[in-house]
Each structure stands twice: as C-alpha cells, then as structure tokens.
C-alpha cells in the first residue's frame, strides 16, 4: 500500500467515526430536543384547578386526587374517586369532573 492509499483509508475511517459519533450524540439528545407524547396528565389536572383559582400545592390532597385519575388510566372507578376527593376539598362538581378527565387523558 502506498502513502496515498494510506491517507485515503485513514480519511475514510475518520469520516465514518465522525458520522457514528454524531449519530450517537443525536440519538442521546433527541428526547431532549423533540417533545414526546403528552405525559403530564396529573399535572394537567392540577394546572386546570390552579387556573380555576383553587389552591393546589404540589403533593397536596388535590394533587393526590389527580394522580388517582392518572394511575387509574381513566377508569370509571378512578374518575369517581378523583372527583369525590376533589369535591371534599370544595372543588365544584363541574371543575372536578373536567380536572379528573384531564388527569386521566391518555
């Protein structure tokens, strides 16, 4: 192999390595750059209640009720429990229903 072939071969490998490295970096950064599917269901419930003027501290009872709707994936039972817990916190029925549905949106 002469010197010209050696330089060409090294250049080819450097380009391949650069492409592979950039692909790895892009694959690692992709979840940070591209929004995924909506995954903030419980948070949507809490934000809806906050927008309606309710006090919804993070980790509080209203947040826990929203999480029940989220973890129950919108089953009638989870929505019922969520709503009853929100109503016990003086959330109106209509606001509670909407919040629980947002918390269970899939």
């Amino acid at each position: 192999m002469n010197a010209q072939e050696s330089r060409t071969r090294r250049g080819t490998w450097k380009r391949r390595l650069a492409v592979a490295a950039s692909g790895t970096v892009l694959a690692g950064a992709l979840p940070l750059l591209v929004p995924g599917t909506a995954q903030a269901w419980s948070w949507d419930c809490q934000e809806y209640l906050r927008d309606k003027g309710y006090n919804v501290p993070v980790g509080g009872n209203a947040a826990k009720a929203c999480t029940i709707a989220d973890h129950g994936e919108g089953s009638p039972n989870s929505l019922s429990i969520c709503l009853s817990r929100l109503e016990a916190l003086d959330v109106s029925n209509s606001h509670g229903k909407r919040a629980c549905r947002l918390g269970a949106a899939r």
Side-chain angles (χ1 to χ4, degrees), residues 35-72:
T37 59
Q39 297 179 355
W41 301 291
S42 177
W43 187 256
D44 291 339
C45 171
Q46 295 171 50
E47 282 299 302
Y48 174 80
L49 292 172
R50 288 184 187 106
D51 288 345
K52 293 299 180 187
Y54 297 100
N55 181 23
V56 184
V58 175
N61 289 331
K64 290 176 185 174
C66 289
T67 301
I68 289 170
D70 181 7
H71 289 188

Side-chain angles (χ1 to χ4, degrees), residues 1-12:
M1 173 180 338
N2 64 31
Q4 178 63 29
E5 288 176 346
S6 178
R7 279 192 298 273
T8 302
R9 207 172 252 188
R10 263 187 270 139
T12 301

Side-chain angles (χ1 to χ4, degrees), residues 92-103:
S92 75
N93 183 278
S94 63
H95 290 160
K97 281 182 181 179
R98 176 77 176 132
C100 291
R101 283 191 195 115
L102 286 171

